[in-house]
Amino acid sequence: MKLKIKDLKKLLSSVQENYIEQINIKNNKFELIINKTYHFIENTNFSKKNNISLLKKPNVKKIETNTKINHHIQNKVSETYSTIVSPMVGTFYRSSAPNENAFVKTYDMVQKRQTVCIIEAMKLMNEIEAEVDGQIIEILVNDGDIVDCGQALMKVKTV
């Protein structure tokens, strides 16, 4: 059986889309095991008894880690963020001209309808405004980047 990269990608995509937890493919020269419930298997040349114990150890460790993560998440106060998205395809600019100051920087406070950036599309400069009052937490694209319609530009913590 000759397995090409393209075929392997299709197989992995199909496993992911169809929520398949485990699949084994084997012939006389080739063996492929995909098991999403365990972390890894270093060597499959163990006896069945050793192989089973090897698979159970990472699973127990994973449960302990998830318990720690859940405890940390419960203790943290959830924060609400709003995202400023691009309404069109174009080039993202943080300022009105190359030598001008940026409209906003990280951690700046913005008001509703305040211009936060410009998207150039077909030689037209379109001002993008904040939709909520809040603080700019993160600017997700770089100055001069091409952006798609619906792409997130900035993350705003609502006030």
Side-chain angles (χ1 to χ4, degrees):
M1 177 178 176
K2 195 168 188 178
L3 186 66
K4 297 179 183 175
I5 297 293
K6 180 176 71 172
D7 298 331
L8 183 59
K9 286 181 181 180
K10 285 181 184 178
L11 175 66
L12 292 173
S13 176
S14 179
V15 166
Q16 185 69 27
E17 290 171 4
N18 295 306
Y19 304 104
I20 297 171
E21 291 297 316
Q22 181 174 347
I23 186 169
N24 297 331
I25 301 171
K26 184 176 182 179
N27 71 11
N28 56 356
K29 293 184 180 182
F30 175 79
E31 180 175 4
L32 174 67
I33 300 172
I34 299 172
N35 189 342
K36 296 192 316 186
T37 58
Y38 301 106
H39 292 293
F40 62 89
I41 300 173
E42 288 184 8
N43 188 352
T44 57
N45 292 332
F46 292 109
S47 68
K48 286 187 179 182
K49 184 177 180 181
N50 288 338
N51 199 8
I52 291 171
S53 65
L54 177 66
L55 293 175
K56 286 184 180 179
K57 286 180 184 177
N59 198 20
V60 172
K61 190 174 185 181
K62 183 177 179 185
I63 291 170
E64 291 170 6
T65 304
N66 286 340
T67 305
K68 290 177 186 176
I69 291 170
N70 288 340
H71 181 67
H72 177 71
I73 290 172
Q74 289 172 352
N75 291 338
K76 188 174 180 176
V77 177
S78 66
E79 298 176 350
T80 304
Y81 294 110
S82 178
T83 305
I84 300 172
V85 297
S86 176
M88 64 193 70
V89 175
T91 306
F92 172 84
Y93 293 111
R94 294 182 59 187
S95 61
S96 58
N99 296 330
E100 296 292 322
N101 292 332
F103 290 110
V104 292
K105 296 183 268 323
T106 306
Y107 305 115
D108 281 356
M109 295 300 290
V110 294
Q111 296 177 353
K112 190 174 184 179
R113 316 281 285 151
Q114 177 182 342
T115 301
V116 294
C117 65
I118 290 178
I119 304 287
E120 178 189 0
M122 299 186 337
K123 303 293 181 194
L124 294 175
M125 300 295 185
N126 301 283
E127 292 183 352
I128 307 302
E129 300 173 343
E131 296 176 359
V132 295
D133 294 334
Q135 181 181 26
I136 302 291
I137 298 300
E138 187 177 0
I139 300 173
L140 303 170
V141 292
N142 295 320
D143 197 39
D145 283 357
I146 305 290
V147 294
D148 288 325
C149 182
Q151 180 177 346
L153 302 174
M154 297 178 191
K155 193 186 303 185
V156 180
K157 181 180 178 182
T158 56
V159 182

